[in-house]
Amino acid sequence: MRAGKSGIIGSLFCPLVDRGNLMPRFYPHPIIAREGWPFILAGLFFSIVFACWLEWWSLPFWLFTLFAIQFFRDPSRPIPQEEDAVLCPADGRIVVVERTIDPYRNTEALKISVFMNVFNVHSQRSPIDGTVTRVEYNKGKFLNAALDKASTENERNAVFATTRTDRELTFVQVAGLVARRIVCYVDSGQRVVRGERYGFIRFGSRVDVYLPTDAVAQVSIGDKVKASSTILARLPLKAPVHNDEPKEIQPAASNRQVVESEAANAQQDEQQMIEAAAEKVRAAAEREAPKE
């Protein structure tokens, strides 16, 4: 894993966004991601060399070159600008939408996971406008990134960030079965702009996003999504206000009060029974009295 800033060109060009057309005016890695050029140039070199000497036997090298071009493509995308929109950080398919615990902040969260296969664009882009507060790298295994346990057992890199209105979220790059390299270009304290490219994973991987529980998911499991252009969730600009004032509690009755109350009730019942019996005796006496 390699961390660092994206350089002068990236820092100058990434934040420049055409707010009217919802499309970046400049993008630091047009068409092909810079991580791919060594693979593409090497494949092209060997393809040409073997084509000159072995003709059709050079076909596997040409196929590798074409695969590298499609894998490392990094196109510019439309960027929604709604303030409450949390954008998808990667291309792929939604594999998790659930309420769970954010293992990095140890708090309840809405988790949304995007799985990328080898045919997806593998650059990661910031889902929000905000500030990176911390970057945490964890070594781990290389399980199939589509599995739930990959989120906690695989090699991963977590970016802690806050929005402009101080809402906290975590987005995590997770290595996959074939992916053996996670690249992250942001550091603690760095400002990011939605749609700005902040990392890359190769080959086949996953990105987990942990949001506050009042966020509302805009995607479902199985949906195909695109980085920057798909709205992943809606996050209210302000956190809900919780009324933590203790409610007035009526003191419980003491044992003595309970005993006295039960005794009074029993005495009242007994008095009613005596009066009822006396009434029956008077009624019987009246019936037996001689008539004039």
Side-chain angles (χ1 to χ4, degrees):
M1 179 266 186
R2 181 163 57 94
K5 294 186 178 180
S6 56
I8 297 176
I9 296 177
S11 61
L12 289 176
F13 288 160
C14 277
L16 299 180
V17 177
D18 186 337
R19 301 291 177 176
N21 296 328
L22 305 181
M23 183 73 73
R25 295 199 197 106
F26 300 100
Y27 198 64
H29 314 283
I31 304 176
I32 302 296
R34 62 186 179 185
E35 291 86 358
W37 283 113
F39 295 90
I40 295 171
L41 294 177
L44 187 61
F45 172 78
F46 285 107
S47 297
I48 294 174
V49 169
F50 280 93
C52 294
W53 292 91
L54 301 176
E55 296 181 352
W56 287 104
W57 289 102
S58 65
L59 182 60
F61 294 94
W62 288 108
L63 293 177
F64 171 82
T65 303
L66 292 175
F67 171 78
I69 292 173
Q70 76 84 29
F71 181 85
F72 289 101
R73 70 193 189 281
D74 197 6
S76 182
R77 296 275 174 73
I79 302 175
Q81 294 300 307
E82 293 94 329
E83 291 187 6
D84 65 342
V86 177
L87 307 185
C88 189
D91 284 21
R93 177 173 55 87
I94 300 296
V95 293
V96 173
V97 179
E98 65 179 9
R99 296 295 178 94
T100 184
I101 299 296
D102 180 344
Y104 303 93
R105 298 182 186 271
N106 194 28
T107 184
E108 292 185 0
L110 171 65
K111 177 184 178 181
I112 303 178
S113 298
V114 182
F115 171 72
M116 296 172 282
N117 61 38
V118 293
F119 298 106
N120 292 129
V121 174
H122 274 61
S123 65
Q124 284 80 60
R125 312 182 191 195
S126 174
I128 59 162
D129 296 321
T131 304
V132 175
T133 57
R134 183 157 60 98
V135 178
E136 179 181 307
Y137 171 71
N138 295 274
K139 293 183 178 181
K141 302 176 182 178
F142 296 95
L143 304 174
N144 185 346
L147 301 176
D148 289 340
K149 60 183 179 180
S151 293
T152 54
E153 296 186 18
N154 278 20
E155 178 179 325
R156 57 203 180 276
N157 184 70
V159 176
F160 300 72
T162 58
T163 67
R164 290 177 176 175
T165 56
D166 295 326
R167 303 305 311 273
E168 296 181 337
L169 67 157
T170 311
F171 36 101
V172 188
Q173 299 167 287
V174 183
L177 185 65
V178 181
R180 299 286 165 158
R181 184 167 176 77
I182 297 176
V183 182
C184 181
Y185 292 117
V186 294
D187 292 323
S188 177
Q190 183 174 341
R191 294 190 62 81
V192 291
V193 176
R194 62 179 65 197
E196 175 183 356
R197 188 178 186 276
Y198 78 88
F200 199 92
I201 314 176
R202 54 171 208 256
F203 295 86
S205 43
R206 168 185 183 133
V207 176
D208 297 328
V209 180
Y210 295 92
L211 299 165
T213 53
D214 59 326
V216 179
Q218 302 296 297
V219 293
S220 302
I221 294 177
D223 288 354
K224 292 184 178 180
V225 293
K226 291 186 179 297
S228 300
S229 59
T230 299
I231 296 178
L232 205 65
R234 298 283 183 181
L235 178 63
L237 300 183
K238 295 294 184 181
V241 178
H242 297 287
N243 186 7
D244 296 329
E245 294 182 1
K247 296 181 179 180
E248 184 178 353
I249 301 176
Q250 297 296 334
S254 64
N255 292 335
R256 181 178 178 181
Q257 290 175 323
V258 172
V259 171
E260 290 178 351
S261 177
E262 291 179 350
N265 291 335
Q267 186 177 1
Q268 184 178 3
D269 292 342
E270 183 178 358
Q271 183 65 28
Q272 290 177 352
M273 292 176 62
I274 294 173
E275 291 178 356
E279 183 64 28
K280 290 181 179 180
V281 171
R282 284 196 298 269
E286 290 177 356
R287 287 196 299 269
E288 297 296 331
K291 295 181 180 180
E292 294 181 357

